[in-house]
Amino acid sequence: MTRRGPRSLKWRLVVRLVIFQTAMLALLVLLVVATLWGTALIVDSYEDGTLDVLKDAVARDADGGLTLSPTTDLAQLRSKVPDLWFLMRDRQGHRLAEGQVPPDFAPIVDGLDHINQARLGWKIGGSYRPDGLVKWVDTAAGDVQILTGTQGQMSLRRLVMGVSAGSLIVILPIFVLMALATLVATPLVVRHALRGLGRAAAQAERIDIDQRGVQLPIEDVPTEIGPLVKAVNDALARLDRGYERHRRFLTDAAHELRTPIAILNTRIASLSPGSEKTRLLEDATRLSVLTGQLLDFQRLDQQVSRFSPVDLTALARRVIVDLAPLAFAAGYEMVFEADEGAIVVAGDQTSLERALANLVQNAIDHGGRCGTITVRIGRAGCVEVCDEGDGIPNEERDRIFEPFHRLNQDGRGAGLGLNLVHEIMRLHGGRIAATDGPSGGACLRMTFPVAPRVASAPSPALEKP
């Protein structure tokens, strides 16, 4: 069973308004029928009551002559009008009569060939309703001329049908125009009424973790939806306060850890050389790195707010010069490749240096301690750091950027370095991805969203002396 998606408010209003208009039209017809039936304004003055009953009852017998079917309306008419009389004939000369034609109308019987229809009465100045009728009518037996009295009354069924037919002719076009106007006007009215809500939704789409203190605009929001927008603003304010408390806690904790870690390093350094001292130094170094990375996370917000042009080529040179001795000591060679010209992006230089340094340090730690580490700056504004180690499995290429996730549980690193690079690139509008290196090792690529500017000279390769 498929779940239905949310329905449009616009079309809900259109459908409900059309249904309401239809119901009002039906109610109007019923009120008109009830009024006419209750006051007898039309019922008493209706002159075709007898003619209607006879027209519905006339039929053909087995010989083709005229006869009357025993309908319910005919039985009721005969019970209400004991002196019922009529004369009917068709164009073939068949006749059917019942009762006694009033003497005043007898001379008319012989002249029916010359009468198409007539209203008959013998009282000058009498009521508007005549005493007799002559009319050609279309029946189940064909065209039949009927001469009869007007004693019968209009039935409720005929009143309803007559009013309904009149309503369809007069009111239906008005109803169609109203429905079309509703179909056109309702979306415009809804769009105008929800204009403020649209601005609030657009503002909500821009809310991100690095943009705190944002509130949705309450202006021009409909009164019925105002409490919802206010509740969202209150929730955003609570989240901001909670995030600020969390940020302050991490910053204070990282600062508090630096002193005991420094004391721990001093005490470990005083120990006699050996495997135990080496292991303790590695653990202390890991704590120092973790503390520094936590502080780096807290400083990101302030640093990335001050973007300026950054030359990626010059930045990479500085990072490589700083880390080349560590790479050489670990058994690597280092190669630096850059397209001709200066590759310039908008960003925070300190954060980008930290990101590139983390990638190079990651290659040193996990590149197998042999081969070449290559740092490549592309014209398209991308930075690659590749090693010749075992590479990164496909199923781990997204998870390595999660906090505290380590591909190798070898005791080195806290699992925050690549996550820090991911956050720095996110705040710069770029991305970091893991791919296969040219030699089968790991290759981490930082891609920036802006096109670089070119102007300078190529950089030489750095090799192990």
Side-chain angles (χ1 to χ4, degrees):
M1 181 177 179
T2 58
R3 185 178 178 182
R4 294 179 59 185
R7 295 177 57 191
S8 169
L9 174 62
K10 172 179 62 180
W11 293 112
R12 284 185 186 183
L13 291 176
V14 169
V15 170
R16 291 179 183 181
L17 284 175
V18 171
I19 293 175
F20 175 75
Q21 293 168 358
T22 304
M24 291 302 297
L25 175 61
L27 180 61
L28 178 62
V29 172
L30 291 177
L31 289 176
V32 171
V33 170
T35 302
L36 294 177
W37 185 261
T39 58
L41 294 177
I42 293 181
V43 175
D44 291 343
S45 62
Y46 186 66
E47 58 191 44
D48 286 349
T50 303
L51 186 68
D52 289 338
V53 174
L54 296 176
K55 179 179 68 173
D56 293 342
V58 67
R60 295 283 181 182
D61 57 19
D63 298 329
L66 298 176
T67 186
L68 290 179
S69 300
T71 63
T72 303
D73 290 343
L74 181 60
Q76 292 178 352
L77 178 64
R78 283 173 172 163
S79 64
K80 293 180 180 179
V81 185
D83 56 343
L84 176 66
W85 64 271
F86 63 83
L87 171 64
M88 58 179 65
R89 68 191 191 109
D90 60 14
R91 298 186 187 279
Q92 291 77 33
H94 300 98
R95 286 175 173 258
L96 179 65
E98 182 177 322
Q100 183 66 37
V101 177
D104 292 332
F105 298 156
I108 300 176
V109 174
D110 296 332
L112 289 177
D113 290 339
H114 306 289
I115 301 175
N116 182 42
Q117 67 177 16
R119 302 171 71 246
L120 308 176
W122 58 74
K123 297 178 181 178
I124 299 176
S127 65
Y128 179 78
R129 183 171 177 170
D131 297 299
L133 292 173
V134 178
K135 187 180 293 186
W136 282 94
V137 293
D138 183 21
T139 69
D143 287 342
V144 175
Q145 187 182 40
I146 299 177
L147 168 64
T148 185
T150 59
Q151 299 95 326
Q153 292 184 338
M154 174 184 287
S155 65
L156 179 61
R157 178 176 62 84
R158 291 188 180 278
L159 178 61
V160 173
M161 292 179 60
V163 173
S164 300
S167 300
L168 290 176
I169 295 174
V170 178
I171 302 179
L172 183 60
I174 300 176
F175 171 75
V176 171
L177 291 176
M178 291 175 60
L180 292 175
T182 300
L183 189 64
V184 174
T186 301
L188 298 177
V189 173
V190 171
R191 188 181 302 114
H192 178 76
L194 300 182
R195 180 177 52 191
L197 186 61
R199 286 197 294 268
Q203 179 69 16
E205 290 180 354
R206 293 191 290 268
I207 296 177
D208 202 350
I209 190 171
D210 57 328
Q211 292 183 349
R212 290 175 295 280
V214 178
Q215 294 281 285
L216 303 183
I218 197 69
E219 296 80 10
D220 297 330
V221 172
T223 306
E224 295 78 5
I225 306 177
L228 174 61
V229 177
K230 184 178 183 299
V232 172
N233 285 335
D234 293 341
L236 290 174
R238 290 193 297 271
L239 289 175
D240 289 339
R241 291 193 295 269
Y243 180 86
E244 185 61 26
R245 288 194 301 268
H246 173 71
R247 188 188 67 81
R248 286 198 305 267
F249 171 78
L250 288 180
T251 303
D252 294 343
H255 278 292
E256 291 296 328
L257 284 173
R258 297 178 73 177
T259 299
I261 289 174
I263 296 173
L264 180 62
N265 283 327
T266 302
R267 292 180 177 179
I268 292 174
S270 64
L271 296 176
S272 302
S275 59
E276 183 66 18
K277 178 179 180 179
T278 301
R279 188 180 64 82
L280 291 175
L281 283 174
E282 289 179 352
D283 290 340
T285 301
R286 180 179 172 185
L287 287 175
S288 298
V289 171
L290 175 59
T291 303
Q293 288 174 339
L294 289 175
L295 290 174
D296 289 340
F297 272 110
Q298 303 312 313
R299 285 194 290 258
L300 278 182
D301 291 344
Q302 289 77 24
Q303 291 172 337
V304 299
S305 63
R306 301 186 295 271
F307 279 2
S308 59
V310 177
D311 185 348
L312 293 180
T313 304
L315 181 145
R317 282 202 196 97
R318 290 192 298 271
V319 172
I320 291 174
V321 168
D322 291 338
L323 297 180
L326 294 178
F328 296 153
Y332 298 99
E333 294 181 353
M334 289 201 71
V335 173
F336 178 46
E337 299 176 358
D339 290 340
E340 183 177 357
I343 312 300
V344 179
V345 297
D348 176 71
Q349 181 167 304
T350 303
S351 297
L352 295 180
E353 284 183 357
R354 186 181 305 116
L356 182 55
N358 281 353
L359 295 186
V360 175
Q361 184 65 53
N362 183 78
I364 293 174
D365 291 340
H366 305 290
R369 296 189 176 273
C370 64
T372 303
I373 296 177
T374 303
V375 178
R376 184 179 300 108
I377 309 297
R379 184 184 299 275
C382 66
V383 180
E384 291 181 348
V385 178
C386 305
D387 60 52
E388 297 179 355
D390 296 331
I392 303 173
N394 291 333
E395 63 273 12
E396 294 285 344
R397 291 185 177 180
D398 290 332
R399 296 194 62 199
I400 59 174
F401 301 109
E402 297 176 1
F404 301 106
H405 178 76
R406 291 181 291 168
L407 185 60
N408 298 317
Q409 303 296 329
D410 56 3
R412 291 196 300 266
L416 284 178
L418 293 182
N419 179 249
L420 180 61
V421 176
H422 179 271
E423 289 301 309
I424 291 173
M425 293 305 297
R426 182 184 65 82
L427 294 173
H428 281 76
R431 60 189 180 89
I432 175 75
T435 62
D436 291 325
S439 303
C443 186
L444 297 175
R445 179 185 297 127
M446 295 190 299
T447 305
F448 292 86
V450 293
R453 292 179 297 180
V454 180
S456 184
S459 301
L462 293 180
E463 297 185 358
K464 179 178 178 179

